[in-house]
Amino acid sequence: MRLGLFLPISLLCITIAAGPAAAQEGGAPMLSALDKTALPGVMAKAVDGFIIPGYRNLSRATASLAATSAALCAEPSEAALQASRSAFAEVVQTWSQIEIIRLGPALEQNRFERFLFYPDRKSTGLKQVQAILAKSDESATDVERLRAKSVAVQGLGALEYVLHGKGADGLAGKGAGFRCRYGHAIAGNLEAIAGELRAAWEKPDGIQAAWKAPGPDNPLFRDNKEAATELLGVLIHSVEMVKDQRLRTFYAGTISGKPGKDNPKLAIYWRSNQTMPSISANFRGLQTFFETSGMQQLLPADSRSIAASVKFLLKTLTSAADRIDGPIDAALGDDERRAVLGFIALNTADLLDRLNRDFGGAIGLGAGFSFADGD
């Protein structure tokens, strides 16, 4: 990898981000009004073009994972183990695109935390998973009984440890029956949750109906401003999540290049080397959500440049994340890849400001309003 490929892009990102902000005098938001006629169509395209297809993809990926884990348990082999690990990676990347929809059905019945318990700062979940494996707790091999246990032992983090943690290579042999059955139960649980999420959004008179028709009788969005706030909030809270919960947990670098203390083992999916593929998928999901929904249509004509720069930043961040492969501790120890991480951190913060201040301000949500602070 050549660092020179990134420096001009970084400067270009900074220049683009500074453009519309410079048009604001004294920090006052650029004024414009939300295009209310465009909003219902944008909301509908977000549902039909991104959310429902995203959950359908997740449902297919988890079904494949459940099938490969069943095959591994039936006939253990190195090939079967690698197939299960590949299916796990596919679920991680599929989930990482749709996990930006952290609302509605995803929050009901703790579905989000049951699918992915992260961050696990005190290793509480890890200890619980290790205890299940040490005790060969058979109740964890039944999907229904597993669902009643801690959220930390039934999702992607738990399955990653089963497939990639200490002792995981034994899954290729005949002596790993319990570990494999536990992993298969987790896969079945993930498939069930994905199916529930898909069904909730596919229901014609359910949440999709509320998204498509804001109004005084709508249980979620009484007016267009509330609907626009939710729509833009998906982007802002997701970018904030990547910045604070994904990058900052393991990368301690600064823009000046003076690193603090890195924590590679706090990185999400570090055991399976899916840290950066998942972050890339987060950015790709945001890019697809933004473009598929046609959010630029909410902007007045004189502010459309904001949408162009948001698209550019998302595409550039996705490409940058794709260039960091392998173990995350190795990337942190490599000057060139570390510089790319710094580039991603810098421009993720820039993107957050672009969405929160510039886009929000342009559609009338900027004055005294901060998505990032939850106001």
Side-chain angles (χ1 to χ4, degrees):
M1 180 188 311
R2 296 184 312 190
L3 179 58
L5 294 174
F6 286 91
L7 293 181
I9 296 176
S10 179
L11 292 174
L12 181 56
C13 285
I14 295 170
T15 300
I16 287 178
Q24 302 177 25
E25 304 231 357
M30 291 179 301
L31 184 53
S32 317
L34 172 67
D35 187 338
K36 297 178 181 179
T37 60
L39 188 93
V42 172
M43 297 288 284
K45 284 185 285 187
V47 172
D48 296 334
F50 179 80
I51 299 175
I52 291 177
Y55 283 129
R56 287 174 178 168
N57 289 338
L58 184 65
S59 189
R60 285 192 289 268
T62 53
S64 177
L65 175 63
T68 57
S69 65
L72 174 63
C73 294
E75 295 186 31
S77 68
E78 185 61 31
L81 175 57
Q82 293 307 316
S84 288
R85 287 173 170 172
S86 294
F88 171 81
E90 180 65 25
V91 170
V92 166
Q93 292 173 44
T94 305
W95 163 255
S96 295
Q97 291 192 56
I98 194 63
E99 73 169 314
I100 67 172
I101 306 300
R102 192 169 184 170
L103 49 83
L107 299 184
E108 296 168 3
Q109 301 177 29
N110 293 321
R111 289 190 182 102
F112 192 98
E113 288 75 16
R114 286 167 50 218
F115 205 99
L116 174 63
F117 178 73
Y118 182 85
D120 184 12
R121 293 186 178 90
K122 297 183 178 180
S123 298
T124 302
L126 173 62
K127 292 172 184 175
Q128 292 176 357
V129 171
Q130 291 172 328
I132 286 174
L133 291 171
K135 297 176 183 177
S136 296
D137 179 2
E138 287 293 340
S139 67
T141 65
D142 177 79
V143 174
E144 290 305 316
R145 295 169 75 184
L146 179 63
R147 287 165 67 94
K149 294 183 180 293
S150 164
V151 297
V153 304
Q154 56 176 288
L156 287 174
L159 185 55
E160 183 188 36
Y161 189 82
V162 169
L163 291 173
H164 293 274
K166 184 178 180 180
D169 288 344
L171 288 168
K174 298 288 185 181
F178 171 77
R179 188 179 189 122
C180 196
R181 291 195 303 276
Y182 174 37
H184 181 49
I186 298 173
N189 182 53
L190 294 173
E191 182 183 14
I193 296 171
E196 292 167 3
L197 291 168
R198 186 198 68 238
W201 279 96
E202 287 181 336
K203 187 178 179 182
D205 58 350
I207 188 171
Q208 69 159 284
W211 267 57
K212 293 177 179 180
D217 297 326
N218 189 310
L220 296 181
F221 312 121
R222 293 168 296 178
D223 55 38
N224 286 319
K225 183 176 180 180
E226 289 186 354
T229 300
E230 182 84 318
L231 194 69
L232 187 54
V234 168
L235 296 171
I236 289 172
H237 293 307
S238 296
V239 174
E240 187 177 41
M241 176 270 291
V242 173
K243 179 175 75 75
D244 294 335
Q245 292 188 7
R246 301 300 159 85
L247 292 168
R248 191 173 290 177
T249 54
F250 71 88
Y251 172 68
T254 64
I255 296 174
S256 66
K258 299 176 182 178
K261 182 180 179 181
D262 295 325
N263 292 285
K265 291 188 177 181
L266 292 182
I268 193 168
Y269 310 123
W270 68 271
R271 290 184 176 86
S272 56
N273 294 335
Q274 289 297 308
T275 300
M276 295 311 298
S278 71
I279 290 175
S280 175
N282 289 148
F283 287 132
R284 189 172 293 108
L286 288 164
Q287 180 182 358
T288 304
F289 180 83
F290 188 83
E291 295 183 355
T292 301
S293 65
M295 283 186 65
Q296 68 273 10
Q297 296 173 22
L298 302 180
L299 294 164
D302 62 356
S303 298
R304 292 290 171 90
S305 62
I306 296 173
S309 60
V310 167
K311 291 179 182 179
F312 178 83
L313 282 167
L314 285 168
K315 182 178 180 180
T316 302
L317 286 165
T318 302
S319 178
D322 283 340
R323 294 174 188 272
I324 302 177
D325 55 6
I328 198 61
D329 55 347
L332 288 167
D334 178 81
D335 289 343
E336 293 188 355
R337 284 182 288 176
R338 187 178 185 84
V340 178
L341 282 170
F343 166 86
I344 293 172
L346 171 65
N347 286 280
T348 299
D350 194 18
L351 175 61
L352 181 61
D353 186 62
R354 160 71 58 182
L355 290 166
N356 191 43
R357 182 179 60 176
D358 295 343
F359 199 111
I363 63 173
L365 300 178
F369 191 96
S370 174
F371 289 91
D373 294 334
D375 293 339

